[in-house]
Every structure is written in C-alpha cells, then in structure tokens.
Amino acid sequence: NHKMTSGILLGKILEEMRPDDVYVKGCNAVDSEFHAGVLFGHDGGGTIARVMGAQAQKGFNVILAVGLEKYIPGTILQAAKATARNDEMDYAMGMPCGLYPVKPGSAIRTVTEIQAVDILSGGAKAVPIAAGGLAGAEGAVVLVIEGNKEQITKIVDFVEECKGAR
C-alpha cells in the first residue's frame, strides 16, 4: 500500500511515520563521500533537524535526493562548521543560514544520479564526466554509463521517459 502525499503539516507526517515508511528530502549539498547537507534558516536546525530526530526515534527510511550539480569540494562537515556561527555574520545576501550535515546510514541513503543509475538499471555504473550548461541544460550532468545490454536499455528507456519532466 504505497502512496505519495504532499501538503500535509510536517508534525503530522512525522507523527504517522513507521519503520517501513520512506521520507524523501531534497538536499543542498553533497560531498565526495555522498554525505549530504541541508540548509536551514532557523535556530535548532530547521525542519531537517526535526525529521532526523524523528527518524532516530522511529527508524523510518530517509532518502536524501541530491543532484551532482550540488557537489561541493571538501566535506559536508567542513561546510557545516563554516556556518556554525552564523549569528556572528556581519553580512548575508538574503537570510543567514546554517548547513545541517546528514550522514548516510542503514536507513538513511543519499541518492545522486550515480546511485539512481545503479538502482534503476539493476547494476549499471555511472561515471560523471561533465556538468552544467545553458539553454535548459543548467544543472545538467553528463554521465558515461557502463553495464550489460539489458541494464543500458533499462536506464536509457527511463531517462528518455523522464527527460524534460518538471
């Protein structure tokens, strides 16, 4: 019995989450170890801190969805430390924010294009070779995908089906 929902208050969602449920969270940064980071603007870590606190209590699954265009050099922990004292910032373009580091675990999985290719194709391996572009290719990632004919057909069909989706 799978259903996807939106527009429900976070507190209600977290209250109802069970160990076999999945919470999908978009992220703002990912490092080379596939640790993800989520920006927050409020004291206490924002909504991501609430979600991770509830996850620790209830054991539900979390998918950290993050595109490779959000790759940062260094580590998520280094980046989070750089934002740790944002109350002392003299200037911010927009709201000062922190970066909440989310470390993958048994029920917490980071999924970039690399992992998505593996999952959706049944084992093909993706190697990013370029990123970015103009005229609709902003945020694009160029991948070389290696696998058997069945895996390649599966992933190409999937990409063709969802390319340009909003």
Side-chain angles (χ1 to χ4, degrees):
N1 186 14
H2 299 80
K3 65 178 181 174
M4 192 164 74
T5 58
S6 64
I8 301 169
L9 293 175
L10 181 61
K12 181 149 179 54
I13 292 170
L14 296 178
E15 191 178 290
E16 295 178 3
M17 295 294 283
R18 303 286 174 255
D20 59 339
D21 290 330
V22 179
Y23 187 95
V24 180
K25 177 66 181 151
C27 299
N28 304 100
V30 64
D31 68 18
S32 62
E33 298 294 315
F34 299 109
H35 293 178
V38 178
L39 292 174
F40 65 91
H42 300 298
D43 292 337
T47 58
I48 186 62
R50 288 179 63 195
V51 170
M52 297 316 296
Q55 190 285 329
Q57 272 188 324
K58 297 179 166 217
F60 56 83
N61 299 284
V62 175
I63 293 178
L64 304 167
V66 57
L68 290 170
E69 81 278 4
K70 295 184 178 181
Y71 171 79
I72 61 166
T75 69
I76 291 295
L77 285 178
Q78 289 170 328
K81 283 180 187 171
T83 70
R85 302 178 65 88
N86 69 18
D87 57 333
E88 295 179 9
M89 288 183 188
D90 291 327
Y91 178 80
M93 191 174 283
M95 179 174 61
C97 57
L99 184 72
Y100 188 100
V102 187
K103 188 175 181 181
S106 59
I108 304 167
R109 184 169 184 183
T110 302
V111 178
T112 70
E113 293 87 341
I114 294 170
Q115 290 80 14
V117 164
D118 180 28
I119 293 165
L120 296 170
S121 70
K125 302 298 175 218
V127 177
I129 62 164
L134 298 171
E138 299 85 355
V141 176
V142 180
L143 305 170
V144 170
I145 301 174
E146 299 172 0
N148 63 37
K149 185 174 177 126
E150 182 183 333
Q151 292 167 332
I152 299 300
T153 300
K154 236 182 191 179
I155 199 62
V156 168
D157 287 349
F158 182 80
V159 170
E160 297 273 342
E161 184 182 325
C162 67
K163 189 172 181 177
R166 300 219 178 273

